Amino acid sequence: MRSIVLVMVAAGLFISGMVYAQSGPEVLKAKGCLNCHEFDKKKVGPAYKEVAAKYKGKKGAAGELVAKIKGGKGHPKIEASDAELKAAIGTVLSTK
Ligand code: HEC
């Protein structure tokens, strides 16, 4: 019984390690976000600093933004996995 639990924990760590293999800044670069966005000034889209300020303290903002970008509604559609978008949005929302 104990060994089964250990195997499950190990597998969980392995999977979460893979999901977060790409960091936010890497995704922003690799997925072309930075073609349209900059951190501190407006480009095609708003500066990430502005976005972070707008959503500061808002509950569920990250999930909302991931859904928005994934769905391509009101935002150019970006081909990226949920995990990649989550990492990217995490970086966006922590921009100061
Ligand atoms: C083709 C240009 C383009 C690309 C590529 C792009 N964006 Fe945007 N983005 C925009 C524009 C235009 C807006 C403003 C309209 C809007 O709010 O959706 C925007 C808005 C946003 C917002 C603010 C949305 C809100 O509700 O305030 C976030 C967050 C964002 N983009 C993140 C990303 C991320 C992360 C990526 C890469 C995975 C990305 N964008 C790629 C053009 C782009």
Side-chain angles (χ1 to χ4, degrees), residues 32-33 36-37 44-46 48 51 54-55 65 68-69 74-76 78:
C33 312
C36 292
H37 292 278
V44 181
Y48 283 154
V51 177
K54 180 173 153 190
Y55 286 95
L65 289 173
K68 180 171 181 178
I69 290 165
H75 188 275
I78 311 286

Side-chain angles (χ1 to χ4, degrees), residues 10-90:
L13 285 176
F14 178 66
I15 291 167
S16 61
M18 288 200 317
V19 169
Y20 295 106
Q22 240 184 339
S23 73
E26 278 167 0
V27 175
L28 292 175
K29 228 193 281 165
K31 296 295 170 184
C33 312
L34 298 180
N35 292 335
C36 292
H37 292 278
E38 279 194 45
F39 283 97
D40 57 0
K41 56 177 190 274
K42 191 173 157 46
K43 209 173 177 184
V44 181
Y48 283 154
K49 211 168 116 185
E50 304 283 310
V51 177
K54 180 173 153 190
Y55 286 95
K56 193 164 182 258
K58 209 174 159 206
K59 249 183 141 188
E64 209 178 284
L65 289 173
V66 167
K68 180 171 181 178
I69 290 165
K70 206 176 141 76
K73 281 195 202 102
H75 188 275
K77 191 165 165 49
I78 311 286
E79 291 298 334
S81 72
D82 282 13
E84 286 167 335
L85 287 178
K86 250 185 235 164
I89 294 294

